[in-house]
Amino acid sequence: MENKNRNTAAIGVFDSGVGGLTVTREIMRQLPNENVVYFGDTARVPYGSKSKNNIIRFSRQIIRFLKTKNVKAIVIACNTASALALETVQQEFDIPIIGVIVPGARAAVRETKNGQIGVLGTEATIKSETYTKEIRKLMPEAEVIGKPCPLFVPLVEEGFAKHKITEEVIDIYLSDMRKSEIDTLILGCTHYPLLRSRIMAYFGESVHIVNPAYETAMDLKQILEEQKIANTSGEPAAYDFYVSDAAEKFKKFANSILPYDVDKTQAIDIEDY
């Protein structure tokens, strides 16, 4: 790809479903000139209970699909795939690929005052201890408490973020963590920022909530500038959305959280890639 074409090429973003739209929203805000191609793997959500081999296979398929759209960089806007597949696909593909865990860990270390950090995530993300490893690279003495919250993803996907049942699930999962000494809490799944207000209310003002989306957008911006592939064309940004299932449901959800009207979402067979 010629450098001129690379500059106007899109950023590829993918997630297991709608959660990655929280990262896309931040990219739209912080990098308003960049075109974006988003893929949500809505047929196979949630990723958090899947095996590492399957997560790597899914990630490879999605990256191959995104490359057919001539993207210049890829953001894995999924904590589970960032934890289990990022290292592998970075070695296999000739394109900048970043995840959301390193930016999230960095933000938590910057914010904590007492070195006690909580991490909420899927079963796979928490089991991998990737957040703990990244936090301790920056703060070896940090105490990290991880808590898998598997029901959070389906609650968000099914539109129950503001329902009373979500408050009850939050209490079931997080009552022990609320009794701990943590002063910083990472929302270690891109779906979880859609529950941010509920989680903030549950913990109170003494706990700082970290959403890795902003930090990820900043890392992406730095990579584009370093490689001289930022979009400086001045043309309005274009956004394209693809899913592996339930396109209309996805579109409705996207329109509820993005600062942009999604008029079309296209379903594809990801198993073809």
Side-chain angles (χ1 to χ4, degrees), residues 113-131:
K113 301 293 189 294
N114 67 4
Q116 299 202 38
I117 299 168
V119 181
L120 309 184
T122 65
E123 291 178 41
T125 298
I126 300 302
K127 188 178 176 185
S128 75
E129 296 192 335
T130 307
Y131 267 109

Side-chain angles (χ1 to χ4, degrees), residues 85-97:
L86 177 62
E87 222 171 89
T88 299
V89 296
Q90 280 178 328
Q91 293 169 1
E92 293 178 352
F93 292 92
D94 59 342
I95 185 172
I97 303 174

Side-chain angles (χ1 to χ4, degrees), residues 118-161:
V119 181
L120 309 184
T122 65
E123 291 178 41
T125 298
I126 300 302
K127 188 178 176 185
S128 75
E129 296 192 335
T130 307
Y131 267 109
T132 302
K133 292 167 191 166
E134 293 299 333
I135 288 166
R136 287 190 176 147
K137 282 180 188 176
L138 302 168
M139 182 183 274
E141 72 280 13
E143 287 186 41
V144 183
I145 301 172
K147 179 65 182 179
C149 305
L151 284 176
F152 282 3
V153 171
L155 283 170
V156 167
E157 291 272 342
E158 295 301 322
F160 285 101

Side-chain angles (χ1 to χ4, degrees), residues 152-179:
F152 282 3
V153 171
L155 283 170
V156 167
E157 291 272 342
E158 295 301 322
F160 285 101
K162 296 179 180 177
H163 196 280
K164 184 171 172 53
I165 193 172
T166 298
E167 288 183 8
E168 294 172 5
V169 172
I170 287 171
D171 184 54
I172 290 166
Y173 281 149
L174 304 183
S175 58
D176 286 345
M177 189 177 280
R178 188 163 65 168
K179 296 169 190 167

Side-chain angles (χ1 to χ4, degrees), residues 13 15-18 21 24 28 36-43 65 69 157 239-258 260-269:
V13 181
D15 181 62
S16 61
V18 301
L21 292 171
T24 303
M28 288 174 170
V36 176
V37 176
Y38 182 95
F39 178 80
D41 199 0
T42 45
F65 163 70
K69 302 301 175 185
E157 291 272 342
Y239 306 116
D240 295 308
F241 298 89
Y242 296 87
V243 293
S244 48
D245 194 23
E248 280 303 309
K249 182 179 176 184
F250 175 92
K251 185 177 84 168
K252 184 179 177 184
F253 199 103
N255 279 322
S256 73
I257 66 169
L258 291 179
Y260 167 84
D261 285 332
V262 179
D263 56 10
K264 187 176 79 170
T265 299
Q266 189 173 331
I268 63 155
D269 189 348

